[in-house]
Amino acid sequence: QSCPATKAGKLNVHLVPHTHDDVGWLKTVDQYFYGSRNEIQHAGVQYILDSVVSQLQSDPTKRFIYVEIAFFYRWWRMQTDQIKQTVKQLVNEAPFKGRLEFINGGWCMNDEASTHYNSIIDQMTLGFQFLQYNFGDCGRPRVAWHIDPFGHSREHASLFAQMGFDGFFFGRLDYQDKRAREMQKEMEQLWRGSVNLEPPFADLFTGVLPNGYNPPSSLCWDGSCSDPPIMDDKDLEDYNVDQIVKYFISIAHAQAGVYRTNHIIMTMGSDFQYENANLWYKNMDKLIKHVNAQQSNGSNVNVLYSTPSCYLSELNKANLTWSVKTDDFFPYADGPHQFWTGYFTSRPALKRYERMSNNFLQVCNQLEVLAGSKSREGPFGKADSFTLKEAMAVAQHHDAVSGTEKQHVADDYAKRLAAGWSRCQVLVSNALASLSGIKQNVHFCNYLNVSACRLTEAASNFTVVLYNPLPRRVTWNVRLPMNGTSYTVTDPKGKTVPNKVMQVSAFTKQVRQDKGSAVNELVFQAAAPALGFSTYSVSRLTEDSLWRRLAQRAQKTQLGDSLQLQNEYYKVTFDSDTGLVSQIENLHKGINLPITQNFYWYNASIGDAKSSQASGAYIFRPDSFNPLLISKTAKTYVVKTRIIKKKKKKKKKKKWQDNVVNISNSDRLAGTPSYLSTAPCRDRWGKEIISRFKTPLQTNATFYTDANGREILQRRRDYRATWKLEQTEPVAGNYYPVNSRIYIKDGKQQLTVLTDRSQGGSSIMDGSFELMLHRRLLYDDHRGVDEPLSEPGDYNVGLVVRGKHILFLDTVDASADLHRPQAQQEFMSPQIVLSTGQQYPYWMGLKSVKEFSALAEELPRNVHLLTLAQWDAKSVLIRLEHQFEKGESTNYSQPVTVDLMKLFSHFMVTSLVEMSLGANEKKDAMKRMAWRVTEDQEPVEPRFSSGRESISAITLKPMEIRTFLATIQYLYS
Amino acid sequence: QSCPATKAGKLNVHLVPHTHDDVGWLKTVDQYFYGSRNEIQHAGVQYILDSVVSQLQSDPTKRFIYVEIAFFYRWWRMQTDQIKQTVKQLVNEAPFKGRLEFINGGWCMNDEASTHYNSIIDQMTLGFQFLQYNFGDCGRPRVAWHIDPFGHSREHASLFAQMGFDGFFFGRLDYQDKRAREMQKEMEQLWRGSVNLEPPFADLFTGVLPNGYNPPSSLCWDGSCSDPPIMDDKDLEDYNVDQIVKYFISIAHAQAGVYRTNHIIMTMGSDFQYENANLWYKNMDKLIKHVNAQQSNGSNVNVLYSTPSCYLSELNKANLTWSVKTDDFFPYADGPHQFWTGYFTSRPALKRYERMSNNFLQVCNQLEVLAGSKSREGPFGKADSFTLKEAMAVAQHHDAVSGTEKQHVADDYAKRLAAGWSRCQVLVSNALASLSGIKQNVHFCNYLNVSACRLTEAASNFTVVLYNPLPRRVTWNVRLPMNGTSYTVTDPKGKTVPNKVMQVSAFTKQVRQDKGSAVNELVFQAAAPALGFSTYSVSRLTEDSLWRRLAQRAQKTQLGDSLQLQNEYYKVTFDSDTGLVSQIENLHKGINLPITQNFYWYNASIGDAKSSQASGAYIFRPDSFNPLLISKTAKTYVVKTRIIKKKKKKKKKKKWQDNVVNISNSDRLAGTPSYLSTAPCRDRWGKEIISRFKTPLQTNATFYTDANGREILQRRRDYRATWKLEQTEPVAGNYYPVNSRIYIKDGKQQLTVLTDRSQGGSSIMDGSFELMLHRRLLYDDHRGVDEPLSEPGDYNVGLVVRGKHILFLDTVDASADLHRPQAQQEFMSPQIVLSTGQQYPYWMGLKSVKEFSALAEELPRNVHLLTLAQWDAKSVLIRLEHQFEKGESTNYSQPVTVDLMKLFSHFMVTSLVEMSLGANEKKDAMKRMAWRVTEDQEPVEPRFSSGRESISAITLKPMEIRTFLATIQYLYS
């Protein structure tokens, strides 16, 4: 440590000079970096880093922290060796050491509400890797710093703890919560991030910053501020030193009154500040000089430049006993009626694209490892996974996947992801060619969501490669847009598999516009082995005759003739009057639950007598407790095939919901409602569209949501665990982020929905729960984005979004067995690669492979292969995860042991080092600060020793993630 | 010289990084310096200098110019010795030399329209002195730089030439003029500043900058701009290097098309820019790199960092023949209907206060020399002349005395002047005590303009010291506010002098509010010797009896009984119907001119169909050609006394004009109309008030105005000397600045008016001329000040302004003999110091002096003692001026010789060095660039040798000013 000296008998005020640089928000990340489009917002990160580095060089007392590696990386690559050397000195060489400190150190400061743990870990790891490579151990961030995200997830605290952070500071929490904490001096405490991991393993010291992340009122000396500078020349007008010193001392004492030690922190900076660091430092120099000069007049205030880690270190030295927090910081309200629960759903298309992109990135990462260098340079050209890694890291930003950015910035995130896909598609093509031994024209269908694919629409013969990134075999319904009506499909062994051709709906055709022309979809069930692929062939049959088409039509027109869908596990009954689901029966368990599902919309508030707050990108505020029903009844017809049973609800007049209930023959899930949800606003009413499920379950105001796709948190309506809530918004104030699942249960039954993206969800009435699918608003909510959340699309229907909810009805005890693996399967779904035309061997004499698995054996059902990715030229990053919580499954909530030596058939692990979760420190070198949580017990220092386990026996306890850097040797080449 | 290398075969683009720092405008000078009140305008000069100095240190190619010493001085005094050393290196030490260059170098960039030459010279000298002292010869500015003032005066060019500048650049000129110059490639030429001084002595090479003082469109890279930066990382989005390079090359060629050499200049900066110089330099570095890289592809554009003096040096080397300009650049219009002729009059109270302040500053300067160190520390405490010198220098700024600043800033200028007065009043008190040998309570009456003075209102006995700064004896009407009705006044010799007590008008009482309570004014004629003082005593008589007051009243009520005022020289006749002047007769010359004078107001335009331009602080735009008469008739009464003859016009209904015509018994002037001019705006009409004089003189569209109080320029209505004018504003487009006088004449007679401050004036119809007295406007004119020019005051009457016009009717040949000395007498009027109570000798045994002159003999009538001021501890600055133009006076337009050895009786000049006008270079060391003006004649290098003249025979030619630094030895101590 190279922390500044403090004074024991004084009130030490740690000034923390910092800048908060959004990785995209009102401008794109590159616009922010360069400082272009300053007419939108004045912000240019390149200049911030130039300026700060210059300032730090000249003064040993000055400090600065830098957070967002997405920007630092852009800047770093443009610097001369001389500047790089200077920066390295500022980080870790005496006498400059410690003047510049990296804090948090992820690629971005990610959102906590709408992000998935896989992508959080990846984006943090990407930043850590950059820092470790360029700055070594002194560049490793010691403190987590989420000063701007709009609420804080317990799971995230757990992840931070596992990354080795000593502490965590943030700025935003519920205004009532903050008030209560100030009263109780609980602004700082220990946060227990996990109920599964043994304390203090997932404990994280957590501090609420006094002024968000801003400086105290009237003391903002950035170029973007208008507070008076310190005017210290008595010969000029407006001399104000005495006044400012007096003011500063008074606010320091006031702040000390709500914190517990004789150290307090003041964040001296804000959004994109320090572009001209001299303004800040020059005035802070004067502040320090003049305030400390008052010590000779008896003042006990001692001001100094510091950093969060130096401040934290003083807190730790204070050796107090800290209280423990076990819930989370959702939802966030910054005032009455101002719940930031809209962004849980905002921009559902981007949220889905981000989720799909992670799926594809993991595939890309895996294939980069499996095919090695041939994946990066092969028959399809040069390729890389970095572009998508970086785009995904950028997309985790708290104004990216959160949906709280301007429209042009949202477009930019999507564009970056698309560029990443493009590079990874080349990589995947190269890898599959290498692994299969076949080079041929490859095609990726990027518009399957709107039933469009140039290749399948036109080709009579093509092959379908299904790559499965899961460490277990998967079966999957392949759906391809076609123009023919009759096809033969064969599996890797040449065996014909059943298929069905179904019509593309008129609504889909309307939505896809000119992206495709398919009138039908070919559906067949395919399977792919663990961490491998299968190749299927499709051929169009010539007897595409009239009678078949007539038969097809006949089947479709059997309206209302059947009001039940059924497979081996479930029976779903529909109301004959409304056409809506009325009951689900779990046939194996003999459970029977009356249920209604329908779509509603909340009329978005535009402000009212109680508050001027309108619903917007951040904030959800319905103008009424009761949402409006979109349509009471549905036109219903059932399409039964051997593969899926499909009930189609067709709205009569309102064309903006189109619901399909599927039941697969082979799966134990109760149905996958698809929706095409759009929000027309011709009536000038903002719309927040939900899907609500109602049951007679006795839920006692309680429901359950996941945190970042991992541990489940219990939620209680109109209740907060740590303070007595004054509820101002009975709907919005009960919304929570749903990243992957939501459920309600009574003593016996559990109704679970898996989502395909992050959404807001709640249970507004006992027995029911709801998920918000889409939002279209006509007013801005005045949190800076300055645009109403009205995504481009036809004015009448708006942006159309297609999604999927997977519904389970089972016993409480058995539900996790279903939703845990199924969630991972949805999240890590198989990827389809099509090819057509002549096939060439990868090289002469190589035998082609139609089915491939890189695993010697499948991983147990409770183990997830979270990461398999190339780390550097020599090593590979592997993360194994126990995907069950303690006690949620009789079968799977047990420790499990994996033999990494025997796991892979494609390569051999030749060495293995266990690392911190962020892979920036060897696990047995990790050392975190210890905090006392009970008076009579010494604080326990978290121990991270991997316990000398053998490579052949990696034991995972519930919810444990273990991270390894491995060297490998390919067994085939 | 340390100029950057250019390329002979290329088009060299000189980028001139610069900041334009207004010495007050929207914020006060100190607010601008510190960067406070940034909510008004983001600007902080301290940071600009910090930032630029830091940038310049690190790169030998970078350049910067700095202009406004008012700011540099503030910054300099707060720097460490180390920074000072660095800055000195940047100015004049290899390898840093020349990176920072001072340009212009006055305390401010003064206005050219409403400034008086005395104050211009003083303020330039103050800046020069600072630079010379701190930076030596390398700090001496070589180029004049008036990039922002709103029109350019020929006299100013002459002064610049006499200061030794090699060239002059400015930004603002009439839009038609600029267009014509671009067409004719006359953007740069030689300006002949004087018709009196022998060329090339007052010749100044003058360049019109291409973009005002701004960078080319889209290339502003300051923190205050929003143009896109150069984005040169191909891996990021928005790469724009190719596009910017192409654009830059095209605009460089376009600009080269309207200039004459293969060198062009681009001003890279603007108002208060370079607060974060890195933004500018980083992008210009890239621009230079990428544009010059195109040379290898055949581009002929070569970009470099440069300065105006380096650019000028290249123009000089080009050795072209340049055309000569002999008129000036007034009035300035930046578009049709947009004449910047309002500011000639805007803020008439400030304009008058500035003029009075100069008067007092010269008195203060003189007394500092006459009394030496005893003036700076004496019985009244410590004193200095610097405070007023600096306040006056600040007040010369082109948004100060011009009246184009925000109200709070105008208040600040006045406050600074008042602080300067206060310091000088102590100095004057000390000096007079020392010179007179008497210490007693001293009082300055600062409110004589509203007939208020605490001392004279209360005291029964007091003395009046009349100090005369002119080098000739003066006679002056002393007017003091009193409450008694009967007084005895005695002169220095104890002789009783006649006096008169007159009533203070009700309107004056109303205006002065609680500043005073005098009901009467005591008037007596006093005389003071050259550069010296006389002491008069005043005692109130006890027989202040009723009959005297009744007699007084009786005299006053003789309404209409006399319609003529007459003294030895003039007879003024009034129309018996209207009460207005109808005729003036010069009795000695037998000239008789029918004349009417009245007050009118132009209704200010608020924009109309022709143009949206409203009248404002800068711009004068009447809504109609014809002004409105304020009152047709005047109530008239005459007060005849032995001292003055006074005719009072009283408006019947409209109370906002109050006119008094005085004729003094002893002077040869036709009357001094006083006015109390205010502009009520309760009717919501903006008012521009004029005084118009109409005569039958045949003037043929021609009239005459002075330039900065010196040479007279002929003006022609609807005409410009250098291009064919398309007149869009028949009134405003014919207004010119009147600093001291305006006249019209025919072959025989000349009617001249001297003003007491700068005003706009014109002759809109033959035989007439008019002066704008006051302006009160309800709309802003959109030139940045963003306030309507409506000075605080009672809403009904507005700010009340009192003024004086002195009218002469004489032959053309004899007029200058009157107006030249009289103008100086008004400008350098005697100062009154009052004292009361016990008198103590300065020290024991010293004899008191009631009359004093520092001169052994008066200077000839055509010589003005322009400056007598302490320069530094050892030397004194003296300027002598020939105050007549060639040919304007039979008696005085001749060279005149002064014996400086014998001039002063109070001290002896022991050594004398002749200096440049700005006193920053010995005259015989001066060397200016030579410019060719005719093809067949080699350019003449201005020679400044003082010709080895003896100290005893300083010869002054018409309009010549000679500047000396002298050492002196006091003859009495």
Side-chain angles (χ1 to χ4, degrees), chain B residues 117 470-471 824 828 862-866 879-881 883:
Chain B
Y117 72 99
L470 288 174
Q824 293 295 12
M828 294 277 267
N862 49 2
V863 179
H864 180 54
L865 178 63
L866 177 60
R879 286 197 188 89
L880 295 174
E881 177 190 9
Q883 62 183 355

Side-chain angles (χ1 to χ4, degrees), chain A residues 28 30-31 33-40 42 46-47 50-51 54 74-75 77-79 221-238 274-280 282-283 286 412 415-416, chain B residues 28 30-31 33-40 42 46-47 50-51 54 74-75 77-79 221-238 274-280 282-283 286 412 415-416:
Chain A
T28 71
D30 286 341
Q31 287 164 357
F33 174 68
Y34 268 120
S36 66
R37 303 296 305 273
N38 271 358
E39 73 280 8
I40 297 175
H42 186 98
Q46 59 164 333
Y47 307 123
D50 288 346
S51 183
S54 162
R74 279 166 169 73
W75 181 80
R77 54 206 296 271
M78 295 176 125
Q79 300 310 305
W221 290 309
D222 191 63
S224 62
C225 297
S226 296
D227 290 339
I230 295 186
M231 296 182 274
D232 54 351
D233 185 338
K234 288 189 174 170
D235 289 344
L236 301 188
E237 294 178 350
D238 307 328
Y274 287 79
E275 189 169 305
N276 191 0
N278 177 45
L279 275 64
W280 259 117
K282 191 172 191 178
N283 285 288
K286 292 178 183 178
D412 183 71
K415 181 178 156 194
R416 285 171 188 281
Chain B
T28 71
D30 286 340
Q31 288 165 356
F33 173 70
Y34 268 121
S36 66
R37 303 296 305 274
N38 271 357
E39 73 281 8
I40 297 176
H42 187 97
Q46 60 164 329
Y47 307 123
D50 289 347
S51 183
S54 162
R74 280 166 169 73
W75 182 78
R77 54 205 296 270
M78 295 175 124
Q79 301 310 305
W221 290 310
D222 192 66
S224 63
C225 296
S226 296
D227 291 337
I230 294 186
M231 296 182 273
D232 54 350
D233 185 338
K234 288 189 173 171
D235 289 345
L236 302 188
E237 294 177 351
D238 308 326
Y274 287 78
E275 189 169 307
N276 191 359
N278 177 43
L279 275 65
W280 260 117
K282 192 172 192 179
N283 285 288
K286 292 177 182 179
D412 183 70
K415 180 177 157 194
R416 284 171 191 281

Side-chain angles (χ1 to χ4, degrees), chain B residues 142-160:
Chain B
R142 303 299 314 147
V143 166
W145 185 255
H146 268 201
I147 56 179
D148 194 26
F150 328 129
H152 304 282
S153 149
R154 192 184 71 186
E155 183 61 36
H156 212 296
S158 170
L159 297 175
F160 273 154

Side-chain angles (χ1 to χ4, degrees), chain A residues 152-163:
Chain A
H152 304 282
S153 151
R154 191 185 73 186
E155 182 61 35
H156 212 296
S158 170
L159 297 176
F160 274 153
Q162 294 172 61
M163 287 170 194

